[in-house]
Amino acid sequence: MDPFEYNANPGRVVFGKGSIQKLPDEIRRLGFKSPLILSTPQQVSQAEDLAKILTAASIEPAGTYTNATMHTPSHITEEAMAYIQSKAADCVVSIGGGSTTGLGKAISVRTGLHHICIPTTYAGSEMTPILGETQDGRKATRTDPKILPGTVIYDVDLTMTLPASLSATSGVNAIAHAVEALYAKNKNPIISLLALEGTKALAESLPEIIQNPQSQPAREKAQYGAWLCGVCLGSSSMALHHKLCHTLGGSFNLPHAETHTIVLPHALSYNAPAIPDAMEKLAAALPGSEGDAIKGLNILLEKLQVKRALKDFGMKEEDIDKAAEIAVSNQYPNPRKVEKEPIRELIRRAWAGEPAR
Ligand code: NAD
């Protein structure tokens, strides 16, 4: 066995249908009295439901801030900080996807307040000590153990309203975390176990969600998979796939989960010659792969009926060169050397929507 290092990220997880009702107990267990609730404008009703659960248990929320925004822009964080300072909150409760989790992290790391995170997508941010914040159009990412939410409550009921198409791309975004954990510079057998289990759970459940978005067992399995994949993201150094998506999202304003979904088979195909062991294990976790992980991924994406071309999201053909330039300008550990020409071809295929080979 290769030598390895393993660090467990601390954090409490409460998982299960209806577990949102345990929020008052979680707050009391920690000795808090005045939580500040966070959501996006689209999830105000879920934030209001939380406030009702708390009030019914004699916990008065300090306030509710419902302006969380994609990519954690600094002006929103400043507005939320001004709001929280006027409210004397003693902890923050975020309910939503990665955008709201990001705001909860931004507040928690600035104030030291305990962050109880209630995820409603499959992005996995709740399991990571990573925070991406945007200022003047530039997104900077930092990692700090203090960023990791202290408590996470997974309740499948909150994911039932996640549109099927968003479930698909958010779920593939989660699989991407697991895929890169399998060949990370700091990979280890514990995280690899979680990566394969998480991939399998999502690859089995996401097509069921597309067929029947109201299937609670499928939604619960997807949430379980997303949790494990989130742990992978929080514990592993990410490589080509995540760096490419970061470049494409940041430089060409492409949507986060959709970009991950399009790029993943291409990035995996690029690295495949350098990672035979990971490819074999991954194939075993993907239904229908017949030993070929790329085939398994292509089958999954077909079943999910997702868009396969970056040009469908507004990327221009002339941006391909620029993207390739940026992608090779920052060197980082990757199993296969990151070289301009093959990377340009990877991006071109993803742009055109040609299947990965
Ligand atoms: P999101 O949080 O932006 O949500 C997308 C939209 O769906 C929002 O309008 C949201 O209100 C809505 N929504 C969320 N859950 C819903 C539900 N159950 N029902 C109905 N509507 C719902 O999307 P996301 O993909 O979860 O997060 C993307 C953001 O998270 C990006 O900024 C990304 O960079 C970040 N992210 C960070 C990490 C990390 O570790 N730091 C990890 C993954 C993603």
Side-chain angles (χ1 to χ4, degrees):
M1 201 177 234
D2 292 334
F4 63 88
E5 291 173 9
Y6 170 70
N7 293 295
N9 277 335
R12 174 174 162 84
V13 171
V14 179
F15 189 99
K17 182 174 163 52
S19 54
I20 195 71
Q21 298 295 337
K22 295 179 183 164
L23 177 63
D25 286 348
E26 287 301 312
I27 290 174
R28 284 205 185 90
R29 202 180 64 82
L30 292 158
F32 301 130
K33 292 187 176 67
S34 301
L36 179 91
I37 300 171
L38 305 173
S39 79
T40 60
Q42 293 79 22
Q43 287 178 279
V44 171
S45 69
Q46 284 181 324
E48 285 170 354
D49 289 348
L50 265 195
K52 279 184 207 143
I53 291 171
L54 291 172
T55 309
S58 306
I59 294 177
E60 212 43 61
T64 305
Y65 179 84
T66 59
N67 220 5
T69 305
M70 181 89 107
H71 302 313
T72 328
S74 56
H75 70 278
I76 294 289
T77 302
E78 280 156 24
E79 190 182 274
M81 284 293 292
Y83 181 77
I84 198 168
Q85 270 147 14
S86 71
K87 294 292 177 184
D90 57 10
C91 62
V92 281
V93 179
S94 65
I95 180 161
S99 298
T100 312
T101 303
L103 179 61
K105 288 174 164 180
I107 292 175
S108 173
V109 76
R110 281 167 177 74
T111 58
L113 292 179
H114 187 96
H115 179 190
I116 301 177
C117 182
I118 307 174
T120 62
T121 69
Y122 308 132
S125 175
E126 67 280 359
M127 281 296 138
T128 81
I130 309 163
L131 172 60
E133 297 180 283
T134 312
Q135 182 150 29
D136 304 326
R138 286 185 74 89
K139 190 166 178 178
T141 301
R142 58 178 159 145
T143 301
D144 184 325
K146 293 199 280 291
I147 291 170
L148 184 76
T151 308
V152 178
I153 300 178
Y154 287 107
D155 184 339
V156 66
D157 290 344
L158 303 171
T159 64
M160 301 305 289
T161 49
L162 189 64
S165 58
L166 188 54
S167 303
T169 52
S170 185
V172 178
N173 182 186
I175 291 176
H177 308 330
V179 165
E180 293 233 289
L182 286 174
Y183 54 72
K185 180 177 60 114
N186 58 350
K187 70 174 190 286
N188 68 66
I190 314 300
I191 294 300
S192 295
L193 278 177
L194 300 186
L196 294 170
E197 172 76 357
T199 300
K200 187 165 175 287
L202 282 160
E204 288 171 359
S205 57
L206 294 176
E208 274 181 67
I209 293 173
I210 297 300
Q211 293 300 316
N212 177 13
Q214 290 312 306
S215 166
Q216 193 230 297
R219 292 271 187 192
E220 195 157 42
K221 199 171 184 178
Q223 198 175 35
Y224 165 70
W227 163 23
L228 302 186
C229 292
V231 177
C232 294
L233 176 65
S235 311
S236 315
S237 57
M238 295 286 122
L240 177 67
H241 170 78
H242 280 75
K243 305 289 177 194
L244 262 184
C245 291
H246 190 83
T247 297
L248 291 165
S251 308
F252 307 106
N253 200 25
L254 295 171
H256 178 83
E258 289 84 349
T259 304
H260 272 267
T261 302
I262 293 169
V263 171
L264 183 61
H266 298 282
L268 186 62
S269 159
Y270 184 94
N271 279 334
I275 50 165
D277 184 48
M279 292 301 284
E280 192 184 322
K281 289 183 175 142
L282 200 53
L286 293 167
S289 71
E290 295 176 335
D292 177 350
I294 303 292
K295 180 176 176 191
L297 256 187
N298 279 330
I299 291 174
L300 176 64
L301 297 188
E302 248 164 62
K303 285 191 202 154
L304 299 183
Q305 300 158 28
V306 287
K307 287 190 175 158
R308 301 293 298 269
L310 294 174
K311 65 179 179 186
D312 292 343
F313 292 97
M315 186 177 169
K316 309 248 177 350
E317 191 165 10
E318 57 265 29
D319 292 336
I320 297 173
D321 276 327
K322 214 192 299 175
E325 197 71 58
I326 305 172
V328 295
S329 64
N330 298 327
Q331 285 301 320
Y332 45 83
N334 189 63
R336 179 178 161 194
K337 196 163 188 281
V338 177
E339 290 174 306
K340 176 98 184 276
E341 265 323 297
I343 287 293
R344 190 197 179 281
E345 175 60 7
L346 182 170
I347 297 170
R348 190 201 62 74
R349 295 184 72 82
W351 172 82
E354 292 172 19
R357 293 180 294 208

